[in-house]
Amino acid sequence: MPTSLAGSTLAVSRATPADVTAAGFAALSYAQIKGVKVIGELGKQYATTARNYIGLTRPYQAMSGLAELSLQVELVRIADAGQDTLRAVVGLDSACSYRVTRPDGSLIYFTAQVNAIMNGGFASTSIAEQKCNMSVLSKVIEVD
């Protein structure tokens, strides 16, 4: 049965967990990022490489490890501690920790670097928008 994710929240911590586990992430202090319109897709994705074994009629793709993930977050620009944190860390080499809280109480944790914050177009419908691009660095941990 489909679940509505309206009402989900995104929060940021300048710290990263000593141990990349649900307990390590839960021990951190987070600031909610307000004004979030859309959070892009996030989950587990694996990179593949072509395998060409002798005797096979065609190569096949085999998993070779976790793939690079990027995440785009669309925001309505407001004065907010969470958004201020995003703007302060754009382009820094250090990562931050993030927590997504779904309406049913389940959580998603990950670390990422903010590599871009772009202002919306200069039309009346988008002048107050921003898009934040992140490179996800850790595995994505889901807690039901």
Side-chain angles (χ1 to χ4, degrees):
M1 178 179 208
T3 302
S4 172
L5 296 180
S8 296
T9 61
L10 177 64
V12 61
S13 173
R14 291 286 301 257
T16 55
D19 189 20
V20 183
T21 62
F25 279 106
L28 301 177
S29 177
Y30 294 88
Q32 183 178 343
I33 302 169
K34 296 182 180 166
V36 174
K37 289 177 55 180
V38 177
I39 301 172
E41 292 91 17
L42 185 64
K44 294 178 184 170
Q45 179 177 343
Y46 290 88
T48 58
T49 55
R51 301 286 170 96
N52 297 304
Y53 290 111
I54 296 173
L56 287 180
T57 56
R58 63 179 182 89
Y60 74 97
Q61 298 292 316
M63 287 189 293
S64 60
L66 288 174
E68 281 186 46
L69 283 177
S70 61
L71 179 67
Q72 188 174 72
V73 178
E74 294 181 28
L75 305 161
V76 174
R77 185 181 176 128
I78 57 173
D80 171 61
Q83 286 194 24
D84 290 344
T85 299
L86 292 179
R87 288 188 278 274
V89 301
V90 65
L92 297 181
D93 286 338
S94 59
C96 291
S97 298
Y98 296 88
R99 179 188 68 206
V100 177
T101 305
R102 296 177 179 138
D104 66 1
S106 60
L107 303 168
I108 300 173
Y109 294 112
F110 62 96
T111 63
Q113 289 176 318
V114 177
N115 53 33
I117 292 186
M118 306 298 285
N119 291 314
F122 294 102
S124 61
T125 57
S126 62
I127 197 166
E129 294 179 358
Q130 285 192 317
K131 290 187 180 174
C132 174
N133 293 323
M134 300 178 187
S135 294
V136 177
L137 302 177
S138 70
K139 63 182 179 178
V140 176
I141 298 174
E142 295 189 51
V143 181
D144 289 329

